Amino acid sequence: MRAVVYTKYGPPEVLQLKEVDKPVPKDNEILVKIVATAVNAADWRLRKADPVAVKLFFGLTRPKKTILGGVLAGIVESVGCDVKRWKAGDEVFGSSGMNMGAYAEYICLPEDGVVALKPFNLSYVEAATVPFGGHTAIHFLRKANIQPRQKILIYGASGAVGTAAIQLAKLYGAEVTGVCSTANVEMVSSLGADKVIDYTKEEITGDNYDVIFDTVGKIPYEAVKKTLKKKGTWILGGAGVTQMVQGYWSGLSRGYKIISGLALEKEDDIRFLRELIEKGKYKAVVDKSYPMEQLSMAHSYVEKGHKKGNVGVIIDETLDTINK
Ligand SMILES: NC(=O)c1ccc[n+]([C@@H]2O[C@H](COP(=O)([O-])OP(=O)(O)OC[C@H]3O[C@@H](n4cnc5c(N)ncnc54)[C@H](OP(=O)(O)O)[C@@H]3O)[C@@H](O)[C@H]2O)c1
């Protein structure tokens, strides 16, 4: 099969299209023919080992897992002999998480992995873009115990996690303020934000937010101190070292509840996302898509940090039809 492989850490050019062995499912696994995947922040961070601590887990001198890609949408091609829940022909979407492997024509996933039937009203590429931001936003909003009528500020509202967080926070009944740049104001508003702050033109204002969800690790600390209420919750979704220190210090000195760490992906949540999408309550936000052959270009674009929502990758163009 064809796969995009990297054998050393480095710039987007380390990603190379190659022929590799097609995987064979174990007894409890399904073999999925991948139609589409996506490029997310985790992919470029692993590709270039940023932060360098990535190497502790993914290979000290070179990457141990040579095929990146943590999300996918495709068709079950065959199943292992113990698999009961899936059959050949099922259209699915989901996540391979930190096992990666989705920049390829085929992948094996455990029967009870983070997989669900693909929403009938999304194309494969749209479906592939849902799990990364969706899972991350669900994880952190639940940890924050978001409640109806609470005021939440979502910083980085136009990225993969931000666009998911706006939609989900609204569904939880919160009053949402999104922060983004001028070009994204309309999109953030169309996803349901009650108020939008353009960070290129305005100060971050608002009184007494119950929750601040910084999805990109860039909110000015002064803005948090000015606008987060006493004992409010600060979600550090994409924090670097400085923000981590600020977060933990303000937790001690101001009584903020600080939420950080890795977002966990759950099978129930992928089904929850599918239900929302099929009921028209949640949208896939796709900035653009690249063919598999241009995956390194997709990495260059995503790494710049200014995509709108998500960037898809089409593995099999002939199958990526929109079934609307
Ligand atoms: N903890 C976890 O488990 C976990 C899980 C997933 C992701 N993450 C991390 O979360 C971060 C965000 O991921 P993502 O995929 O949502 O990122 P992304 O899609 O790449 O974010 C892009 C968006 O960020 C906005 N942005 C860039 N600079 C900004 C600024 N100074 N102020 C406000 N918005 C700004 C951009 O809008 P403009 O173009 O308008 O600036 C763009 O729309 C990443 O660092 C990722 O590693 C962590």
Side-chain angles (χ1 to χ4, degrees), residues 40-41 129 132-134 137 156-165 282 285 307-310:
N40 295 306
T129 64
F132 182 81
S158 48
V161 180
T163 51
Y282 185 98
V285 181
K307 66 180 161 68
K308 297 171 196 299
N310 298 275

Side-chain angles (χ1 to χ4, degrees), residues 45-323:
R45 288 191 178 282
L46 293 184
R47 188 203 75 232
K48 65 188 283 198
D50 175 7
V52 75
V54 157
K55 293 187 177 180
L56 292 177
F57 303 96
F58 289 88
L60 276 182
T61 53
R62 58 196 161 83
K64 284 189 253 179
K65 293 179 196 300
T66 54
I67 305 178
L68 290 170
V71 292
L72 61 120
I75 302 165
V76 176
E77 180 161 289
S78 65
V79 301
C81 57
D82 292 341
V83 171
K84 303 274 184 299
R85 292 164 54 185
W86 301 105
K87 60 179 187 324
D90 283 342
E91 295 182 272
V92 294
F93 80 127
S95 170
S96 56
M98 284 302 153
N99 285 324
M100 296 282 151
Y103 290 177
E105 289 179 317
Y106 293 91
I107 192 169
C108 289
L109 298 170
E111 173 178 28
D112 57 357
V114 182
V115 186
L117 286 173
K118 179 178 84 63
F120 69 83
N121 48 349
L122 293 190
S123 69
Y124 286 99
V125 76
E126 287 171 323
T129 64
V130 168
F132 182 81
H135 279 298
T136 307
I138 290 174
H139 171 90
F140 284 120
L141 291 172
R142 284 213 186 114
K143 283 237 158 196
N145 192 23
I146 190 89
Q147 296 295 318
R149 290 179 295 284
Q150 278 191 327
K151 292 183 184 176
I152 180 169
L153 179 91
I154 298 174
Y155 193 88
S158 48
V161 180
T163 51
I166 298 168
Q167 300 186 73
L168 290 160
K170 283 303 294 177
L171 288 168
Y172 284 118
E175 196 182 306
V176 177
T177 300
V179 182
C180 63
S181 69
T182 315
N184 296 322
V185 168
E186 208 179 302
M187 174 191 67
V188 167
S189 177
S190 75
L191 291 172
D194 300 286
K195 194 177 163 214
V196 185
I197 297 173
D198 177 347
Y199 74 85
T200 66
K201 294 184 179 156
E202 302 164 66
E203 289 272 298
I204 293 174
T205 51
D207 39 71
N208 282 330
Y209 290 111
D210 298 286
V211 179
I212 290 182
F213 186 172
D214 182 1
T215 71
V216 287
K218 291 183 179 171
I219 190 168
Y221 187 33
E222 285 308 310
V224 177
K225 289 193 283 187
K226 252 193 246 164
T227 62
L228 184 59
K229 79 175 198 189
K230 214 175 157 195
K231 297 200 174 171
T233 299
W234 185 7
I235 305 173
L236 307 172
V241 176
T242 310
Q243 203 182 50
M244 280 292 195
V245 172
Q246 289 168 342
Y248 284 99
W249 170 245
S250 62
L252 292 173
S253 59
R254 297 178 162 255
Y256 294 155
K257 180 180 174 191
I258 302 300
I259 297 177
S260 66
L262 272 186
L264 303 173
E265 298 173 323
K266 294 192 190 140
E267 193 190 348
D268 284 351
D269 294 340
I270 192 84
R271 285 202 226 106
F272 174 60
L273 286 165
R274 186 193 84 223
E275 280 163 30
L276 293 179
I277 292 164
E278 291 190 341
K279 286 179 186 157
K281 293 182 172 177
Y282 185 98
K283 287 183 201 155
V285 181
V286 184
D287 179 339
K288 52 169 126 175
S289 300
Y290 292 80
M292 185 185 196
E293 294 76 11
Q294 291 175 9
L295 233 154
S296 61
M297 285 170 71
H299 265 242
S300 301
Y301 180 64
V302 171
E303 192 182 334
K304 288 192 180 107
H306 293 286
K307 66 180 161 68
K308 297 171 196 299
N310 298 275
V311 166
V313 175
I314 298 169
I315 305 286
D316 187 332
E317 201 180 352
T318 58
L319 290 170
D320 186 48
T321 47
I322 299 176
N323 307 326

